[in-house]
Amino acid sequence: MNRSGNQDAMRAKRRLFLSLTLLVVCGALGALIWTSFSGSLVYFHTPTEIRETGAAKAGQKVRIGGMVQEGSLVKEPGTLKIRFLVTDGQNTVPVLYDGMTPDLFREGQGVVVEGPWRPGEALIASSILAKHSEDYIPVEMTPEGIAKSKESLLRSLQ
């Protein structure tokens, strides 16, 4: 083999080595990203889906969305513990929560709760998100709020 042939063979080996190294690094990086995401993903379910797949979700952290059923909210006196039912109109899921609730949280209001699901018992909520109506308008944007802002502005200019 001549000198040019040896150089070509060395280049081919370097390319192969670089390609394999790049492949291994990309694979390790992909595996690292996949495992970090899969451990922290929490899927959103309705109460009906939880009832249908309850045993399969046992012990897993789930996120359930629905409405707080009217008449189901029970507060334990002297504590922050509450119990309520989340419904989608077809099924209900009992929820236990110990902590401060959002201002908009009440019966008949939309809610998203997250926590471990225990079939036959309840969802032990670690967080509660209260949903508001799609018609929500900040006070500042209501006709009364705009009038108040105008009055305040005019007073400040006098």
Side-chain angles (χ1 to χ4, degrees):
M1 200 180 265
N2 61 20
R3 189 173 187 150
S4 171
N6 281 342
Q7 287 178 345
D8 288 343
M10 290 294 287
R11 283 186 188 155
K13 283 183 180 180
R14 281 188 197 151
R15 285 186 187 152
L16 179 63
F17 179 73
L18 283 174
S19 297
L20 288 175
T21 302
L22 187 64
L23 185 66
V24 168
V25 169
C26 287
L29 189 62
L32 185 65
I33 290 170
W34 176 258
T35 55
S36 66
F37 275 122
S38 63
S40 64
L41 289 178
V42 179
Y43 296 103
F44 183 85
H45 301 281
T46 63
T48 299
E49 290 171 344
I50 290 296
R51 289 288 177 196
E52 290 172 353
T53 61
K57 304 279 182 214
Q60 293 180 8
K61 192 173 186 180
V62 295
R63 185 176 293 162
I64 299 174
M67 304 290 283
V68 179
Q69 187 169 5
E70 295 281 344
S72 69
L73 182 61
V74 177
K75 296 179 180 179
E76 196 171 300
T79 68
L80 296 175
K81 293 180 181 178
I82 58 172
R83 289 181 287 146
F84 58 95
L85 296 173
V86 175
T87 182
D88 61 359
Q90 296 175 347
N91 285 299
T92 60
V93 171
V95 176
L96 302 174
Y97 181 69
D98 186 7
M100 297 290 292
T101 57
D103 290 339
L104 296 174
F105 178 80
R106 60 182 155 267
E107 293 179 345
Q109 190 72 33
V111 69
V112 176
V113 294
E114 184 177 310
W117 168 241
R118 295 181 181 168
E121 295 178 36
L123 183 128
I124 312 299
S126 58
S127 67
I128 294 178
L129 300 172
K131 295 166 52 177
H132 61 75
S133 166
E134 294 175 1
D135 301 330
Y136 175 77
I137 299 173
V139 173
E140 298 83 23
M141 297 303 294
T142 61
E144 297 84 21
I146 292 171
K148 268 186 164 179
S149 295
K150 281 183 182 176
E151 275 181 38
S152 175
L153 181 64
L154 291 174
R155 267 190 250 136
S156 68
L157 292 176
Q158 292 175 353

